[in-house]
Amino acid sequence: MTVVPELPPRPLTLQDVTALAEADELHRFELTEGNLVVMPPHPRRHQIIATRLGVWLLTHGFLDRTTLSTGVRTADDDRNGRTPDIVVAKGDVPPETVWLAAAEVLLAVEVVSPGSERTDRWVKPREYADAGIAHFWRVEPDGTVLRFRLTDGVYTEVGKDPIDALIAGEVPDLS
């Protein structure tokens, strides 16, 4: 049986979401304008893709900078945060990190799964672009990795590869 925690009668903060996540390991949480977004665990296919990409990044020069499912503050307040499937930070990420400022993020990666299509294709890229994250990658259900670079405040596609071809080589330029 799932127990629903008592939530405060106000917009939630990232600290509230952190506490919820510590108490509920069955769900994933994000925050938009203080409104809680609750998501089920990722399907196995999603986990495999995120793990493969994450390991590839970890072993190709981004060891202390790559995290899976670390939160990203998507605004300059405490009421907006997303949890990309993979984050590559501009510098080392301390082990106790829960939420990174968008200014610290070099790359955000989202793996599209049933139920997250619109959010992963349209909503999150816009939020990441507005937050100034330089690179965004989206992995489609067919395993295609679309790579985008922020140019003049919007993402421009700079590459499109099957995941197997991408991880067979070196990491594309993230400068």
Side-chain angles (χ1 to χ4, degrees):
M1 181 168 115
T2 301
V3 177
V4 177
E6 187 172 324
L7 299 174
R10 58 168 168 70
L12 296 179
T13 66
L14 295 175
Q15 290 79 16
D16 296 327
V17 173
T18 300
L20 281 170
E22 289 172 354
D24 182 350
E25 295 180 7
L26 297 178
H27 295 93
R28 297 173 301 112
F29 303 96
E30 294 180 336
L31 200 59
T32 302
E33 301 296 326
N35 297 301
L36 186 65
V37 179
V38 181
M39 299 158 295
H42 292 300
R44 179 159 162 66
R45 177 198 155 281
H46 188 116
Q47 294 173 33
I48 289 169
I49 289 171
T51 300
R52 290 180 70 203
L53 275 175
V55 167
W56 176 66
L57 289 162
L58 285 164
T59 59
H60 283 77
F62 299 94
L63 180 62
D64 294 321
R65 299 167 50 190
T66 301
T67 66
L68 277 73
S69 297
T70 293
V72 174
R73 295 173 181 268
T74 54
D76 290 333
D77 58 34
D78 200 31
R79 297 181 304 147
N80 291 278
R82 293 292 187 172
T83 309
D85 295 304
I86 301 169
V87 171
V88 175
K90 293 178 180 176
D92 292 355
V93 180
E96 65 278 0
T97 301
V98 177
W99 297 98
L100 280 171
E104 299 176 67
V105 177
L106 179 62
L107 167 66
V109 180
E110 294 291 350
V111 179
V112 178
S113 288
S116 72
E117 297 96 336
R118 289 172 46 95
T119 301
D120 291 340
R121 289 186 184 124
W122 305 108
V123 178
K124 287 185 178 184
R126 178 59 190 246
E127 288 181 29
Y128 298 154
D130 288 347
I133 296 172
H135 299 271
F136 171 69
W137 293 0
R138 185 178 72 233
V139 185
E140 289 294 332
D142 67 359
T144 301
V145 181
L146 292 108
R147 296 180 287 112
F148 302 88
R149 179 185 304 264
L150 191 62
T151 305
D152 297 326
V154 296
Y155 285 122
T156 303
E157 187 176 318
V158 295
K160 181 178 180 178
D161 304 284
I163 189 171
D164 291 334
L166 181 67
I167 64 176
E170 294 300 315
V171 176
D173 180 25
L174 293 177
S175 59

